Amino acid sequence: MTTRTWQNPLRDPRDKRLPRIAGPCGLVIFGVTGDLSRKKLMPAIYDLANRGLLPPGFSLVGFARRDWADEDFGQVVHDAVKEHARTPFRQEVWDRLAEGCRFVQGSFDDDQAFDNLAKCIKDLDDERGTAGNHGFYLSIPPAAFTKVIQQLARTGLADQKADEWRRVVIEKPFGHDLASAKQLNKTVNDVFPEDSVFRIDHYLGKETVQNIMAIRFANQLFEPIWNANYVDHVQITMAEDIGLGGRAGYYDGIGAARDVIQNHLLQLLALTAMEEPVSFRPETVRAEKAKVLAATRPVLPFAETTARGQYSGGWQGGQKVPGLVQEGGFAKDSKTETYAAIELAVDTRRWAGVPFYLRTGKRLGRRVTEIAVVFKRAPHLPFDDTSTEELGQNALVFRVQPDEGVTMRFGSKVPGSTMEVRDVNMDFSYGHSFTESSPEAYERLILDVLLGEPSLFPKNDEVELSWEILDPILKAWTTHGKPDPYPAGTWGPESADQMLARTGRHWRRP
Ligand SMILES: NC(=O)c1ccc[n+]([C@@H]2O[C@H](COP(=O)([O-])OP(=O)(O)OC[C@H]3O[C@@H](n4cnc5c(N)ncnc54)[C@H](OP(=O)(O)O)[C@@H]3O)[C@@H](O)[C@H]2O)c1
């Protein structure tokens, strides 16, 4: 028998009951004039400051091509915060944050600009006590990742001295396929050790996504039936109601599968299907995710187990909306999909024979992200056939967004003198059950970067395993046919419905 020594949780630096305040540090954002920086990163930094989670001398350095002084940059951050921050604006918090705002002008291939950045960081260490601890957030086009990493290496900004840290944060997409992801991992890991690399998958910062682990592993109710004996199939959906709008140029050549399935949906699959980690330490959670991704494979033949589409004009929310081609910016003969659905198998004892269906698309019926675990029917129903005509399959649905919570669907007696059974829903909603509002995903993730807590960031092997799953499908799609059209406001092309109908199943209409 093994004995365990008792550990005082108050002595454990990972104890989550202690407030998680970052130590002395600064953050450099590359691409600070971009959309992501203005709408998410700067507001998240302010929200952290407002919650008292940043250290007193915290410094925010913007790097971009504009001819700005520190004050101009400060004004841009101010405007972004006023427009997009989650928490109320407080002048004293802003004043403190503004004192630490610096701007460095330059392009990524400009050595002098990076030398200026190195000097700026040294000055901040001296003036504001950032103590040599700095994060570098690459909120820039993926084509520029390598160049910036090389510049950080050249200037010594990536060097970790004793008692200091240097961390790099990399936005998605991480690679275009398996080969490019491996190459990028190599480029990054040649400069930064893996524990200093934070690959952003902002879905992992969402409360509802972390709740998958809480629901599964904190309760006795679900885990005994979380396997092929009881689960019929799993559907993971991320549906958007918006079209490409101004992002057509970025999206053409990437498509729905690379943009969403490779990262967000495969991470959701991993959290849903993984085994219980021995602890919530980063290395153990990530190891379990990698294990289940290694056991996951696409199902053949792809003509029957995948579907892809491109939206045409249609109606959405009572409004007529244009199709992809009319919106402009997309090559007319482009094969890039705006809808993708795939079937995956997880070759483990727990999941043998249980299909995992993943789908995502633009201009679909509703904006919704959910994971639906759909259970097998009861083996025997002691009712008249007509009594259960409206009884579907039991389901547990994690509602990731927008109406965050969990729904359980099961059969219940319809009031009246006959025994008629119909599906009903039991709902848990974050908004009703908790008074605290959820932090934005980027708040949680940026704080984790500053704390050096990598659990919610996919590791190099997870990223490569995800591309390994998707690559054969993408390859088959480039050599066979075109995406099927689907009218805006619907739930995708008919081929997606046929994909499930072949096995007598159907997609949920959330
Ligand atoms: N936007 C989102 O909601 C979103 C969501 C998920 C992931 N991402 C990822 O986040 C990253 C940034 O996205 P974004 O939408 O913010 O992009 P964006 O609006 O196009 O911004 C790109 C930024 O990079 C800068 N930049 C480009 N080339 C440069 C160069 N040679 N030298 C210096 N600066 C240069 C631009 O500066 P200038 O102003 O000088 O051009 C701009 O600040 C991308 O990797 C994207 O895939 C974005």
Side-chain angles (χ1 to χ4, degrees):
M1 198 176 94
T2 54
T3 52
R4 287 200 176 169
T5 49
W6 180 79
Q7 280 191 327
N8 181 348
L10 292 175
R11 297 230 180 109
D12 183 347
R14 291 173 193 277
D15 184 3
K16 299 292 186 283
R17 288 173 297 177
L18 296 171
R20 302 189 333 136
I21 301 173
C25 64
L27 185 68
V28 179
I29 301 183
F30 294 98
V32 82
T33 54
D35 184 64
L36 183 72
S37 172
R38 272 185 302 110
K39 290 194 183 140
K40 298 288 181 188
L41 308 185
M42 296 174 189
I45 288 164
Y46 169 82
D47 287 326
L48 288 172
N50 209 0
R51 290 163 63 203
L53 298 175
L54 296 183
F58 178 79
S59 303
L60 176 64
V61 181
F63 185 103
R65 290 181 280 203
R66 314 282 160 101
D67 184 13
W68 284 345
D70 289 347
E71 296 72 34
D72 302 319
F73 173 57
Q75 187 59 42
V76 170
V77 183
H78 176 269
D79 295 348
V81 166
K82 277 249 164 154
E83 196 176 346
H84 299 290
R86 179 180 66 87
T87 58
F89 188 82
R90 289 196 292 150
Q91 191 62 42
E92 66 275 21
V93 173
W94 167 252
D95 289 344
R96 228 177 306 129
L97 194 59
E99 281 171 20
C101 284
R102 301 285 184 278
F103 184 73
V104 176
Q105 186 201 7
S107 172
F108 301 146
D109 48 15
D110 179 354
D111 288 358
Q112 182 59 51
F114 277 82
D115 293 343
N116 295 344
L117 177 64
K119 164 134 190 1
C120 171
I121 282 176
K122 171 86 184 53
D123 291 347
L124 285 172
D125 287 345
D126 296 341
E127 290 162 23
R128 293 185 57 80
T130 39
N133 301 324
H134 297 274
F136 300 99
Y137 199 122
L138 274 48
S139 178
I140 56 176
F145 289 161
T146 299
K147 185 74 212 166
V148 173
I149 302 257
Q150 287 165 348
Q151 289 282 24
L152 294 174
R154 186 190 64 77
T155 46
L157 281 168
D159 294 349
Q160 323 246 1
K161 300 203 183 84
D163 301 328
E164 295 181 358
W165 56 256
R166 300 290 160 111
R167 297 176 188 141
V168 66
V169 188
I170 304 179
E171 263 298 335
K172 70 158 217 187
F174 197 91
H176 190 74
D177 53 18
L178 179 59
S180 56
K182 278 186 169 171
Q183 181 56 50
L184 184 56
N185 270 334
K186 183 170 177 335
T187 305
V188 175
N189 289 140
D190 280 349
V191 177
F192 288 93
E194 182 57 23
D195 64 1
S196 302
V197 182
F198 292 73
R199 296 173 192 77
I200 293 271
D201 184 329
H202 74 272
Y203 260 59
L204 297 183
K206 289 180 184 286
E207 291 284 333
T208 36
V209 171
Q210 293 159 49
N211 195 31
I212 298 169
M213 288 191 282
I215 295 261
R216 285 192 58 196
F217 302 129
N219 299 298
Q220 177 69 343
L221 199 55
F222 307 110
E223 206 51 22
I225 53 170
W226 214 257
N227 56 55
N229 294 333
Y230 297 94
V231 175
D232 178 70
H233 69 279
V234 177
Q235 293 186 21
I236 305 182
T237 301
M238 180 189 152
E240 291 180 280
D241 53 4
I242 52 168
L244 288 177
R247 295 188 77 217
Y250 157 81
Y251 199 84
D252 198 2
I254 293 184
R258 284 190 173 92
D259 194 38
V260 173
I261 294 182
Q262 183 273 332
N263 35 69
H264 307 321
L265 297 197
L266 281 171
Q267 283 291 323
L268 294 182
L269 178 146
L271 291 170
T272 308
M274 73 183 197
E275 296 302 315
E276 182 178 297
V278 291
S279 74
F280 277 94
R281 288 180 186 277
E283 56 278 15
T284 53
V285 174
R286 289 161 128 198
E288 289 304 338
K289 282 197 289 161
K291 246 167 70 186
V292 79
L293 288 171
T296 303
R297 62 173 169 85
V299 178
L300 293 165
F302 293 144
E304 293 181 7
T305 59
T306 71
R308 65 198 156 127
Q310 278 180 351
Y311 63 84
S312 51
W315 289 86
Q316 207 154 34
Q319 283 198 326
K320 201 164 194 289
V321 293
L324 190 63
V325 176
Q326 295 83 49
E327 275 182 341
F330 219 71
K332 277 207 172 60
D333 56 351
S334 170
K335 281 184 170 183
T336 303
E337 78 286 352
T338 59
Y339 176 97
I342 65 174
E343 177 182 340
L344 299 175
V346 179
D347 290 333
T348 61
R349 186 178 184 130
R350 186 190 279 269
W351 295 115
V354 178
F356 282 72
Y357 299 111
L358 277 52
R359 67 173 163 167
T360 182
K362 304 254 177 217
R363 283 264 187 252
L364 296 183
R366 235 190 104 195
R367 171 178 171 256
V368 64
T369 301
E370 63 164 43
I371 301 156
V373 179
V374 181
F375 292 90
K376 292 181 175 171
R377 287 181 186 280
H380 173 69
L381 292 171
F383 305 96
D384 298 339
D385 288 348
T386 53
S387 309
T388 54
E389 274 171 352
E390 291 186 62
L391 177 68
Q393 287 167 269
N394 296 164
L396 186 75
V397 183
F398 293 95
R399 303 191 313 270
V400 175
Q401 65 181 20
D403 172 26
E404 292 92 350
V406 179
T407 298
M408 192 153 31
R409 187 181 69 190
F410 53 91
S412 177
K413 183 182 176 305
V414 179
S417 54
T418 56
M419 178 55 91
E420 196 187 329
V421 183
R422 188 188 293 168
D423 282 336
V424 292
N425 285 331
M426 196 156 80
D427 275 340
F428 147 67
S429 150
Y430 266 86
H432 289 131
S433 301
F434 298 109
T435 48
E436 303 93 329
S437 68
S438 299
E440 276 280 323
Y442 278 97
E443 264 173 83
R444 169 70 198 259
L445 296 176
I446 290 173
L447 182 61
D448 280 358
V449 170
L450 304 180
L451 291 165
E453 165 58 70
S455 300
L456 300 179
F457 299 83
K459 234 184 110 204
N460 46 10
D461 56 350
E462 288 175 65
V463 172
E464 291 180 16
L465 286 164
S466 301
W467 280 117
E468 226 168 288
I469 294 165
L470 203 58
D471 256 16
I473 297 173
L474 294 171
K475 205 163 159 211
W477 282 355
T478 44
T479 45
H480 289 99
K482 276 197 69 174
D484 302 314
Y486 62 95
T490 65
W491 282 95
E494 272 174 33
S495 51
D497 292 333
Q498 288 157 11
M499 183 183 143
L500 265 66
R502 283 189 188 94
T503 56
R505 298 184 175 99
H506 57 84
W507 290 108
R508 286 169 48 80
R509 294 277 181 265

